[in-house]
Amino acid sequence: MKKLVILGAGCAGTMVANNLRKKLDREEWSITIIDKDDRHIYQPGLIFIPFGMYKPEEIIRTRSEFIGKGINFVIDEIVGVDTETQVVETTAGKYEYDKVIVCSGVGLAPEEVPGMMDGWHTKIFDFYTLEGATKLEKALRSFKSGKMVLDIAEFPYKCPVAPLEFVYLADWYFTERGVRDDIEIQFVTPMTGAFTKPKASAYFTKMMHEKNIKVTADFILAEVDCNDNKLISAAGDEIEWDLLVSIPPNVGARYLVNSGVAMDEVGYVKTNNHTLQAEHHKNMYVLGDNTTIPTSKAGSVAHFSAEIMIENFMREINDEPVRPDYDGHSNCFIETGFGKASLIDFNYEYEPLPGKFPLPGLGPFTLLGDTKANHWGKMMFKWVYWNKLLTGEELPLEAQMSLAGKVQE
């Protein structure tokens, strides 16, 4: 029997495991998926915890409830991958593979920025982890005046629109509490604007100005001074803060670095932009945040690229040529506060543009527009994620109609 091993049971790993189990002959292929725990976090929901819109328990489920029958789910820590002998090693055992799919994601590395750990989760907070988001909720609740700075340390990072959402939601949150006039909000980024794509960047930067959110671009963070509450750039510029929300460097799993699977110390695996095959390792595909494909590290990318990866996997094992069909397709809802959201849709070649996105059963949604329907689309996506996206099952018609009705209210 041939063996497929999937490294990581997050969004990308779970989707690809369930979809391939439906396609691969159970007499010919075994599927093993490995992750360090049995806790699946709905990551898009983390942004809402600091503002009291979600509670932690509302975005946590077990991984095992989404992993289909006929898939061996191993809870263990991966310590290495030998690409020559094609063996994955964990703390408790070894797993040979004929094919391996790397879906191990990325994590935060605040220790990579000098001084950041001095105030981590006491003066400096994040919303990309459950611990960070819950601690930030307490910090925001007690913050009534002063300067709140959101800083992006470096690019790339997970979910590029999340920092935009945070400052927009902060503007709404402080307004609702009646303290917005006493709080300055500043968005600090190493990019030239609010987003990577010029047209979308112009749109979202303009929205920040309209909401009285100061934008500081081209700020390359060099260190954090927690004694004087300052950000210091590589050029020596300084920004003071009373409350700092940071997106520190994002790095790949250390076992990928130690095994030589990653292309450098940062931990990303060099990936073909169009086929999702690993560039330097045979019998390996890469999916999710730890790829090097030049598009957003987002759940939509995992979904769209998984469709192409699965097709290429099946073509390859059937001795057919793989197809370079992934075009970088990504789309994201962006919460803009006050019960509204925007939506962008783009790929490697085309920038986000105004128009309509015809999501079957729910849409159409407005692209590069600020609407209540987009907000409901964002909020309802959690239900779709738990009930369809991970498992690959179709939603019942009555569920589609219910969701569509809510969105169009």
Side-chain angles (χ1 to χ4, degrees), residues 13 54 68 78 84 131 157 179 207 212 224 265 300:
Y54 279 161
I78 302 167
E84 293 300 318
E131 179 186 11
Y157 54 92
V179 296
M207 185 179 289
N212 194 27
V224 180
E265 289 295 317
S300 65

Side-chain angles (χ1 to χ4, degrees), residues 27-47:
E27 299 298 320
E28 295 181 7
W29 282 90
S30 68
I31 300 178
T32 297
I33 186 167
I34 308 172
D35 212 311
K36 63 182 181 298
D37 58 41
D38 193 24
R39 187 175 73 164
H40 190 119
I41 296 175
Y42 174 62
Q43 293 190 58
L46 288 168
I47 188 70

Side-chain angles (χ1 to χ4, degrees), residues 131-348:
E131 179 186 11
T134 52
K135 289 186 175 180
L136 180 55
E137 189 272 334
K138 294 179 182 178
L140 289 180
R141 212 178 332 131
S142 62
F143 193 66
K144 298 178 181 178
S145 64
K147 183 177 181 179
M148 186 192 76
V149 172
L150 179 137
D151 174 69
I152 300 166
E154 65 181 33
F155 191 84
Y157 54 92
K158 290 199 294 184
C159 193
V161 302
L164 309 180
E165 294 184 286
F166 181 83
V167 292
Y168 294 147
L169 287 170
D171 169 65
W172 159 77
Y173 177 79
F174 293 134
T175 299
E176 290 291 300
R177 291 178 53 213
V179 296
R180 180 65 176 94
D181 290 343
D182 298 318
I183 295 174
E184 178 183 348
I185 302 174
Q186 187 170 355
F187 181 90
V188 181
T189 175
M191 298 181 289
T192 57
F195 194 63
T196 54
K197 301 288 186 178
K199 292 185 184 297
S201 181
Y203 175 83
F204 291 118
T205 300
K206 180 175 180 290
M207 185 179 289
M208 286 191 191
H209 291 154
E210 292 171 348
K211 294 176 180 290
N212 194 27
I213 298 169
K214 182 179 179 181
V215 179
T216 301
D218 299 310
F219 189 94
I220 311 301
L221 183 64
E223 65 176 291
V224 180
D225 182 346
C226 284
N227 291 322
D228 295 326
N229 288 6
K230 292 180 179 180
L231 298 176
I232 304 170
S233 77
D237 298 322
E238 297 182 353
I239 295 175
E240 296 182 347
W241 47 270
D242 296 299
L243 176 64
L244 178 60
V245 181
S246 180
I247 293 87
N250 282 203
V251 299
R254 294 300 88 189
Y255 73 81
L256 296 174
V257 175
N258 298 335
S259 300
V261 175
M263 64 179 186
D264 55 31
E265 289 295 317
V266 180
Y268 297 108
V269 182
K270 184 63 176 172
T271 312
N272 185 287
N273 294 346
H274 302 286
T275 68
L276 287 309
Q277 293 169 302
E279 291 277 16
H280 305 306
H281 308 290
K282 62 181 181 180
N283 295 318
M284 178 183 290
Y285 284 86
V286 195
L287 202 64
D289 293 340
N290 57 308
T291 71
T292 59
I293 59 177
T295 189
S296 295
K297 296 186 180 300
S300 65
V301 170
H303 173 67
F304 296 134
S305 61
E307 293 177 345
I308 305 302
M309 194 235 86
I310 290 166
E311 175 65 22
N312 279 335
F313 185 100
M314 297 304 297
R315 292 180 68 88
E316 190 175 32
I317 66 173
N318 288 310
D319 296 321
E320 300 172 4
V322 298
R323 297 174 59 93
D325 286 350
Y326 182 61
D327 64 357
H329 186 199
S330 175
N331 55 35
C332 303
F333 285 104
I334 300 98
E335 282 292 307
T336 55
F338 301 95
K340 293 184 178 182
S342 189
L343 175 64
I344 54 176
D345 187 80
F346 57 96
N347 61 21
Y348 293 146

